[in-house]
């Protein structure tokens, strides 16, 4: 493995740095979303009975204690029960927009890393080929086989390394973006169901996935 990295030349250094950064972001986001899902489930299990018993203050306190994007959106709705429907919807949308960056943390960087890793791999391909053609130009028809093989190896290794980092980064970036959108949508749907229950007794139970 070390020899392969060495064969990739100096361009392997930024490619490896991209790989380290991407790995950190992916692990951090996985841990974050797993913990967030657990926190949201615990929150919903606590506040649904409170809402059924019209204990809106207690539910609001639980939302503040949870301190998640979902709880912030629900808590904002609970604090706005005296507003008109239009004002309440506006308050919920504003809070959703305010909380969304917490769900998107590091995702912009992950998207950039995926693009940069691909470009660095392409750059390694170009520089490796330039060296290979330089060997052919300096050494006649075949040039020095060892140097030629090293140049070709550099081109192939950097291309492969760039793609190895870029492909998982793109997949993870898209997955986390979809996850963030889904969480905000579920929070807003919960608020809609909650308001139906509050305003119309006997309507469907308040649920969230």
């Amino acid at each position: 493995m070390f020899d392969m990295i060495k064969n990739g030349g100096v361009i392997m250094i930024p490619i490896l740095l991209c790989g380290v950064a991407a790995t950190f972001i992916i692990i951090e986001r996985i841990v974050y979303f797993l913990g967030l899902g657990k926190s949201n489930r615990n929150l919903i299990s606590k506040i649904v009975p409170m809402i059924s018993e019209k204990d809106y203050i207690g539910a609001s306190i639980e939302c503040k204690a949870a301190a998640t994007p979902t709880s912030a959106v629900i808590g904002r709705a609970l604090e706005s029960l005296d507003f008109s429907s239009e004002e309440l919807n506006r308050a919920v949308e504003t809070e959703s927009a305010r909380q969304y960056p917490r769900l998107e943390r590091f995702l912009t960087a992950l998207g950039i890393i995926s693009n940069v890793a691909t470009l660095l791999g392409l750059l390694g391909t170009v520089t490796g080929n330039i060296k290979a053609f330089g060997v052919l130009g300096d050494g006649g028809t075949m040039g020095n086989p060892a140097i030629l093989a090293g140049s070709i190896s550099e081109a192939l290794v950097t291309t492969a390394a760039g793609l190895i980092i870029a492909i998982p980064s793109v997949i993870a970036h898209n997955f986390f973006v979809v996850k963030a959108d889904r969480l905000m949508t579920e929070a807003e749907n919960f608020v809609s169901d909650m308001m139906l229950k509050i305003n119309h007794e006997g309507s469907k139970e308040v649920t969230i996935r």
Side-chain angles (χ1 to χ4, degrees):
M1 177 63 71
F2 178 77
D3 289 337
M4 183 179 294
I5 294 173
K6 185 177 179 181
N7 290 337
V10 68
I11 294 179
M12 283 297 295
I13 296 175
I15 290 177
L16 290 175
L17 291 176
C18 286
V20 171
T23 300
F24 167 79
I25 292 172
I26 291 171
I27 293 175
E28 190 276 340
R29 287 290 86 185
I30 289 174
V31 172
Y32 174 77
F33 280 115
L34 287 175
L36 190 60
K38 182 178 180 180
S39 297
N40 287 341
R41 287 190 294 272
N42 291 337
L43 173 68
I44 298 307
S45 67
K46 291 179 180 179
I47 68 173
V48 167
M50 292 180 176
I51 293 171
S52 298
E53 296 171 2
K54 302 184 185 301
D55 183 10
Y56 306 134
I57 295 177
S60 180
I61 292 173
E62 289 292 341
C63 287
K64 289 181 179 179
T68 67
T70 297
S71 68
V73 173
I74 298 172
R76 181 59 176 161
L78 289 169
E79 294 170 357
S80 306
L81 293 179
D82 293 334
F83 294 2
S84 66
S85 296
E86 182 178 348
E87 291 173 334
L88 188 145
N89 289 335
R90 190 180 301 115
V92 170
E93 290 173 359
T94 300
E95 189 62 35
S96 295
R98 184 179 294 116
Q99 295 298 323
Y100 196 80
R102 294 176 61 187
L103 299 175
E104 276 195 319
R105 187 185 182 199
F106 297 138
L107 295 190
T108 299
L110 186 60
I112 292 173
I113 287 171
S114 66
N115 291 326
V116 170
T118 303
L119 294 175
L120 286 172
L122 178 60
L123 178 60
T125 302
V126 172
T127 56
N129 286 330
I130 289 173
K131 291 179 181 178
F133 283 114
V135 171
L136 292 176
D138 293 339
T141 303
M142 290 300 297
N144 188 319
I147 299 176
L148 180 61
S151 300
I152 295 174
S153 176
E154 177 181 331
L156 296 177
V157 167
T158 52
T159 302
L163 292 175
I164 287 172
I165 294 168
I167 292 172
S169 297
V170 169
I171 293 172
H173 177 268
N174 291 336
F175 172 79
F176 292 137
V177 168
V178 170
K179 183 68 174 177
D181 289 340
R182 183 178 299 170
L183 283 170
M184 279 294 96
T185 299
E186 288 179 348
E188 292 173 359
N189 289 342
F190 179 89
V191 169
S192 296
D193 290 344
M194 179 182 71
M195 295 311 301
L196 284 174
K197 185 172 182 62
I198 291 173
N199 295 328
H200 305 285
E201 291 297 328
S203 63
K204 61 181 179 180
E205 291 296 321
V206 181
T207 59
I208 188 169
R209 290 188 298 274

